[in-house]
């Protein structure tokens, strides 16, 4: 062990510590709680997709290093998915890159495109890897907060404009948003696109919840707007759409120069990963539209079940604070409730055992939550963020 007084951990990472997902999952194990703190499903995805992975393993496809950019079959399937769903045409060999989940896609993109001194404007609250990856790249995180408005969390476009300076390198946009479930409207996206073109900014869009949009909300990729395709890096994930989070298959679609830049960073992270699973995901992306509709309907029912349960529980604050209400996200997010509700949870636990017939939550009943905090010293929103089964969390 070195005797130097210099800390062992790189100073850029000193503020982050252990990821919140690991902390909350450990807490759930410690207390025997239902784990709503990490985004993995309690059931596997489609049987035919799992069997496709088994066939690939048995046939010897992907058991050795796959190509660095991803297997051709998957890159072709990703391009076909973007064309079929959104009318976006990508060349599989030069405009698609397969990654070890969307988290690596985020890391590789920010490491490739951001230099020390660059500012990155990001919507908050946000997936915790954003802040760490910006820091590793030497960039400065500039948060723009989504705020409660008429039953959902909305983006203040004037605040976004004010956050852009001459030092801004890129906008990091997440829609459908994690954790609030906000789905940016066409009008909001139009303004973001116009701002990016006017200020000549790069844009990174995290779209891993693209297939989890409820009601009248609509997911529209920023890359479809005028002037945006050549400046946008779009990120997707199989884990969120097909409920195989452990396979770690994500991707990037962008113009050739952007994909080349991201690949330059990605090749020194994992280089390659998930060989046999890439073949399975290629088949999954070709599933009929009925799969995506059924998946969305199933998650909507789970969202409503959780939201109703929280609203009816004493610890949900409804009886003590009838003026408070739960916000039900229009996209792939989680129902949100006030932070002070934790005090009610703690009071319930002091009684020792379950209070029969009262709906009171105890140490073994309380779900593990991920606080929707705002890293970097800013005041956290006064909300808690419970995650329904399979949504959201690690990509």
């Amino acid at each position: 062990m070195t005797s130097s007084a210099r800390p062992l951990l790189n100073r850029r990472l000193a503020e982050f510590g252990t990821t919140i997902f690991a902390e909350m999952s450990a807490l759930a194990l410690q207390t025997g709680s239902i784990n709503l703190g990490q985004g993995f499903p309690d059931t596997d995805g489609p049987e035919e997709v799992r069997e496709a992975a088994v066939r690939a393993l048995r046939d010897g496809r992907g058991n050795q290093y796959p190509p660095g950019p991803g297997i051709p079959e998957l890159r072709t399937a990703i391009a076909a998915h973007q064309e079929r769903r959104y009318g976006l045409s990508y060349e599989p060999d030069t405009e698609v890159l397969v990654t070890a989940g969307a988290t690596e896609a985020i890391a590789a993109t920010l490491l490739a495109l951001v230099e020390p001194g660059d500012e990155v404007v990001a919507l908050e609250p946000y997936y915790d890897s954003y802040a760490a990856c910006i820091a590793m790249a030497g960039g400065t995180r500039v948060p723009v907060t989504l705020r409660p408005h008429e039953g959902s969390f909305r983006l203040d476009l004037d605040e976004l404009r004010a956050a852009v300076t001459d030092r801004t390198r890129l906008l990091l946009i997440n829609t459908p948003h994690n954790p609030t479930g906000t789905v940016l409207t066409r009008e909001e996206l139009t303004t973001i696109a116009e701002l990016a073109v006017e200020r000549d900014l790069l844009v990174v869009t995290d779209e891993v919840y693209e297939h989890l949009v409820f009601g009248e909300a609509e997911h529209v990729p920023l890359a479809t707007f005028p002037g945006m395709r050549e400046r946008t890096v779009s990120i997707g994930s199989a884990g969120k759409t097909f409920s195989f989070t452990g396979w770690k298959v994500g991707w990037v679609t962008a113009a050739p120069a952007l994909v080349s830049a991201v690949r330059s960073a990605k090749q020194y992270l994992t280089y390659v990963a998930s060989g046999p699973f890439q073949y399975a995901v290629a088949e999954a992306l070709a599933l009929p539209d009925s799969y995506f509709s059924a998946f969305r309907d199933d998650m909507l029912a789970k969202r409503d079940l959780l939201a109703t349960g929280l609203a009816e529980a004493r610890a949900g604050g409804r009886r003590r604070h009838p003026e408070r209400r739960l916000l039900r996200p229009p996209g792939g997010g989680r129902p949100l409730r006030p932070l002070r509700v934790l005090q009610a949870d703690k009071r319930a636990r002091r009684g020792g055992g379950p209070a029969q017939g009262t709906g009171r939550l105890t140490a073994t009943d309380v779900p593990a939550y991920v606080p929707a905090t705002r890293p970097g010293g800013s005041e956290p929103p006064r909300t808690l963020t419970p995650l329904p089964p399979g949504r959201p969390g690690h990509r």
Side-chain angles (χ1 to χ4, degrees), residues 199-287:
R199 302 299 294 268
D200 194 22
L201 303 175
L202 298 173
V203 180
V204 178
T205 60
D206 178 350
E207 304 177 32
V208 299
Y209 302 111
E210 60 185 308
H211 292 292
L212 282 177
V213 178
F214 308 134
E216 297 180 358
E218 176 189 21
H219 172 60
V220 185
L222 255 176
T224 62
F225 287 78
M228 293 305 295
R229 190 188 183 285
E230 61 269 23
R231 68 179 68 247
T232 301
V233 176
S234 303
I235 295 173
S237 168
K240 297 307 175 190
T241 298
F242 301 110
S243 300
F244 289 111
T245 58
W247 291 7
K248 297 298 291 181
V249 179
W251 53 81
V252 161
T253 54
L258 287 169
V259 166
S260 178
V262 175
R263 186 172 62 243
S264 295
K266 181 260 187 296
Q267 66 187 343
Y268 296 112
L269 298 176
T270 62
Y271 180 56
V272 293
S274 313
F277 301 132
Q278 292 190 30
Y279 289 93
V281 174
E283 294 192 25
L285 285 169
L287 288 174

Side-chain angles (χ1 to χ4, degrees), residues 3 19 61 77 95 115 151 161 183 215 217 235 253 286 296 313 315 317 345 352 372 380:
S3 60
T19 174
R61 292 178 291 133
E95 296 185 312
E115 294 183 354
R161 292 187 190 94
V183 180
I235 295 173
T253 54
R296 182 175 61 250
D345 294 347

Side-chain angles (χ1 to χ4, degrees), residues 316-372:
R318 186 168 179 173
R319 298 178 190 176
R320 295 175 185 264
H321 304 282
E323 76 282 1
R324 296 178 184 170
R325 62 194 180 92
L326 207 67
L327 300 183
R328 300 190 182 209
R334 325 88 179 254
L336 301 180
R337 65 192 183 113
L339 185 59
R340 285 189 294 270
V341 167
L342 269 185
Q343 298 170 358
D345 294 347
K346 292 176 182 176
R347 285 193 294 269
R349 293 199 294 272
R350 290 193 192 110
Q356 298 297 326
T358 67
R360 180 175 295 171
L361 300 182
T362 69
T364 57
D365 300 323
V366 174
Y369 292 90
V370 172

Side-chain angles (χ1 to χ4, degrees), residues 293-304:
S293 298
F295 174 63
R296 182 175 61 250
D297 292 344
D298 178 63
M299 292 308 303
L300 176 59
K302 290 178 179 178
R303 182 205 70 172
D304 289 344

Side-chain angles (χ1 to χ4, degrees), residues 38-120:
Q38 186 171 0
F40 58 85
D42 54 4
T43 58
D44 284 344
E47 180 66 21
E48 60 265 44
V49 177
R50 183 166 52 180
E51 286 304 309
V54 171
R55 289 198 311 273
L57 283 163
R58 289 175 174 165
D59 294 346
R61 292 178 291 133
N63 293 335
Q64 309 305 327
Y65 296 132
I71 63 168
E73 293 89 339
L74 178 53
R75 285 184 278 119
T76 298
I78 293 167
H81 171 271
Q82 297 299 91
E83 175 75 40
R84 183 175 86 249
R85 304 291 302 194
Y86 310 117
L88 285 166
S89 178
Y90 289 102
E91 211 291 315
D93 291 335
T94 60
E95 296 185 312
V96 180
L97 175 66
V98 177
T99 60
T103 298
E104 187 193 43
I106 293 164
T109 299
L110 293 173
L111 289 171
L113 302 180
V114 176
E115 294 183 354
D118 288 341
E119 292 181 348
V120 177

